[in-house]
Amino acid sequence: MSVEYDDTTSAASHGQGLHETTSSRCLTETFTATHNFEVTDFSLLDGMGISEFVSSSTFTVGGYDWNIMFFPDGNKKEHEGAFVSVFLCFIGGGEATRVRAKFSLSMVDRDGRVPLIHTFGTEDREWSWGLPCFIEKYKLRHFLRPGPVGGRAVQPPRAPKTCVLSARSPVFDAELFGPLNKNNSAHPVKINDMDPTIFEGLLHFIYADSLPDCCDSNENTTMQHLLIAADRYGLDRLRALCEAKLCQGIDVQTVATTLALGEQHNCERLKDACLRFIASRDVLSAIMETDGFRHLKESCPLILEAISEKIATFRKRRTSMQHLR
């Protein structure tokens, strides 16, 4: 007995020779949104402390909650408050504990321009993205500096706001809202022993966070009085700015009064600059002829010993250098 069969039919019956095509798709949802976080009166926040922050209201994108954290003095101690830090923070919502985000953090000035923008690629994080060094504070102050309006420079209000004075100066804070003001009511604060021009310069700094643009013809005298006012009202940054300005303007006629100022107000940097000026130049005899030196002897007699020591040290160093040559 013989059996015959068709090989082709048999192969087809087992599915050989057929080609099937299948397909699938992965759908990834993306959401795009913009949140505007306006920070007003930066000068009131400047100096609030490293790692201290203000935050935006919570906003929702893609079913998840977010906010923006703004650190006026930065979030890292090693930067010593020189930078502003900004972060986008994932708060929660939905079922995810980690999310991926691609975003930009930008700064918009009062004229609607965008002088700064940082873009971040897609990263997987638990809760925050951002920059510890978003912008240097001196650059931010430049962007915020009032500009001319209608041909006239913007000036601080004639009647200063008590909240601004209180926020910037611990002395004004005590006078306006301290224990002596039991009813916490507004009352006039009398400013004694201060030239109106100097007080206007003080107000300019409180509102604009910079030295006043216009000074008297005798700039050194103005800076000295402004430093005294800054020390009186606890404005450490203004005091430092005045001290730096005075260090740059030391000469034979001003060094004695500047040294007396540094001694009386514990300005070590200013004192050292004056002593180095006197010691490094053969000008002591000329300085001793000035009215400022006579005032220095009367008001700070102990400083004369420091002058002698500085001169002796400088001469000794100069002699040593000559021997090395």
Side-chain angles (χ1 to χ4, degrees):
M1 181 180 67
S2 63
V3 178
E4 295 181 0
Y5 61 91
D6 189 338
D7 288 338
T8 304
T9 303
S10 176
S13 65
H14 287 82
Q16 296 181 10
L18 296 180
H19 179 76
E20 295 183 2
T21 301
T22 61
S23 64
S24 63
R25 176 181 295 178
C26 175
L27 296 176
T28 303
E29 287 187 300
T30 60
F31 300 89
T32 303
T34 299
H35 181 80
N36 295 319
F37 178 32
E38 182 178 358
V39 179
T40 62
D41 294 327
F42 173 76
S43 61
L44 301 183
L45 301 176
D46 191 5
M48 68 185 296
I50 296 172
S51 296
E52 298 294 330
F53 65 90
V54 294
S55 61
S56 70
S57 59
T58 300
F59 55 94
T60 302
V61 180
Y64 299 103
D65 294 333
W66 310 79
N67 73 2
I68 296 172
M69 297 174 65
F70 177 78
F71 297 77
D73 292 317
N75 70 323
K76 292 184 177 293
K77 290 184 178 180
E78 56 263 34
H79 295 151
E80 299 180 344
F83 291 88
V84 166
S85 304
V86 182
F87 290 87
L88 172 68
C89 299
F90 170 58
I91 298 176
E95 299 179 356
T97 57
R98 298 172 69 94
V99 294
R100 295 169 68 86
K102 182 178 181 180
F103 66 99
S104 296
L105 290 172
S106 59
M107 185 178 72
V108 181
D109 66 15
R110 67 184 69 202
D111 297 322
R113 295 171 299 186
V114 183
L116 179 68
I117 183 168
H118 292 287
T119 300
F120 298 80
T122 303
E123 296 182 44
D124 190 6
R125 297 285 185 87
E126 291 186 356
W127 76 281
S128 72
W129 303 258
L131 279 177
C133 303
F134 181 72
I135 185 174
E136 292 173 280
K137 285 173 68 173
Y138 81 90
K139 291 182 179 179
L140 180 58
R141 294 189 188 103
H142 173 75
F143 290 130
L144 298 177
R145 185 174 300 166
V149 178
R152 297 180 59 189
V154 176
Q155 299 292 338
R158 292 188 178 275
K161 295 181 179 179
T162 56
C163 60
V164 178
L165 298 179
S166 173
R168 297 302 303 272
S169 165
V171 178
F172 277 129
D173 182 55
E175 291 181 346
L176 292 166
F177 303 108
L180 296 179
N181 188 10
K182 296 180 180 179
N183 297 325
N184 198 29
S185 58
H187 66 283
V189 175
K190 190 174 183 180
I191 308 297
N192 295 314
D193 304 324
M194 185 179 297
D195 186 275
T197 302
I198 300 302
F199 185 67
E200 287 181 7
L202 193 76
L203 289 181
H204 176 94
F205 173 81
I206 287 175
Y207 280 89
D209 198 40
S210 63
L211 289 173
D213 295 330
C214 56
C215 296
D216 293 339
S217 57
N218 190 341
E219 184 177 340
N220 185 276
T221 301
T222 301
M223 286 297 112
Q224 289 187 12
H225 286 292
L226 200 54
L227 186 148
I228 294 171
D231 193 38
R232 174 177 170 179
Y233 286 98
L235 297 169
D236 293 338
R237 173 170 156 74
L238 176 58
R239 171 184 153 127
L241 291 173
C242 293
E243 191 173 357
K245 197 80 171 176
L246 287 168
C247 286
Q248 298 171 4
I250 296 172
D251 57 30
V252 171
Q253 295 299 319
T254 63
V255 65
T257 54
T258 304
L259 180 55
L261 179 73
E263 175 71 9
Q264 292 167 349
H265 293 272
N266 298 314
C267 301
E268 296 300 325
R269 177 185 175 189
L270 191 58
K271 286 170 54 179
D272 185 64
C274 291
L275 291 172
R276 282 189 287 106
F277 177 88
I278 296 172
S280 62
R281 295 168 172 82
D282 295 325
V283 292
L284 182 58
S285 57
I287 293 171
M288 293 175 66
E289 296 297 323
T290 64
D291 293 335
F293 188 80
R294 286 186 282 274
H295 167 70
L296 178 66
K297 288 195 300 182
E298 295 174 0
S299 59
C300 310
L302 297 179
I303 199 67
L304 300 179
E305 184 178 348
I307 293 175
S308 299
E309 291 177 356
K310 196 73 172 180
I311 291 175
T313 300
F314 182 81
R315 287 177 177 173
K316 183 178 179 180
R317 185 182 304 166
R318 184 165 56 184
T319 302
S320 299
M321 293 295 294
Q322 289 174 347
H323 286 314
L324 289 175
R325 293 176 185 175

